[in-house]
Amino acid sequence: QAQLMESGGGSVQAGGSLRLSCAASGYFDARYCIAWFRQAPGKEREGVATFDTGDTSTYYADSVKGRFTMSQDRAEKTLYLQMNSLKPEDTAMYYCAEAGGSCMFYYPPESTDFGSWGQGTQVTVSS
């Protein structure tokens, strides 16, 4: 079974940057989709980005497009979410999640489609 662990969260001021990491271990399909979700208190979980390990294609929600970037270190089996120009509304718990196969099956990403999840890492952006 796939296991995921996030790190890299923290507190920054608006306009700052953070890089979240999602370290993967255990069994994975040859091709899988990694997504970043976030959930703020009192709000629904939102899928903000995906990375397809097969063709390295990415998806970004409109709320983060142009500011967030996903990348992969294939050798380390680690996915990254680079977050720039952070805004207070980006404050949330961030989770990475995995689903087998291409990300094209999970467009836009819905939390119910992803079976393996990390424990989350908190991001707080102050104004």
Side-chain angles (χ1 to χ4, degrees):
Q1 185 175 356
Q3 295 179 330
L4 304 170
M5 179 174 293
E6 306 93 336
S7 61
S11 297
V12 296
Q13 291 190 324
S17 298
L18 283 173
R19 189 177 77 159
L20 305 185
S21 299
C22 175
S25 62
Y27 175 79
F28 287 82
D29 291 343
R31 180 176 187 172
Y32 54 95
C33 179
I34 293 289
W36 283 97
F37 289 83
R38 67 185 182 186
Q39 188 165 22
K43 294 189 175 182
E44 292 188 356
R45 191 166 292 190
E46 174 191 15
V48 298
T50 66
F51 185 98
D52 189 315
T53 62
D55 62 11
T56 71
S57 60
T58 54
Y59 155 88
Y60 301 99
D62 288 343
S63 56
V64 306
K65 197 173 295 182
R67 300 186 298 121
F68 290 12
T69 304
M70 281 194 73
S71 62
Q72 178 189 39
D73 182 332
R74 184 179 290 271
E76 296 294 327
K77 293 191 75 173
T78 300
L79 279 295
Y80 300 100
L81 182 68
Q82 178 67 43
M83 306 187 297
N84 298 329
S85 302
L86 283 162
K87 305 175 181 180
E89 50 263 44
D90 294 318
T91 295
M93 184 71 79
Y94 283 72
Y95 302 89
C96 64
E98 180 268 349
S102 169
C103 286
M104 66 179 292
F105 301 120
Y106 314 109
Y107 177 79
E110 299 287 347
S111 59
T112 51
D113 290 329
F114 290 77
S116 297
W117 291 78
Q119 82 290 347
T121 186
Q122 178 68 38
V123 172
T124 303
V125 185
S126 58
S127 58

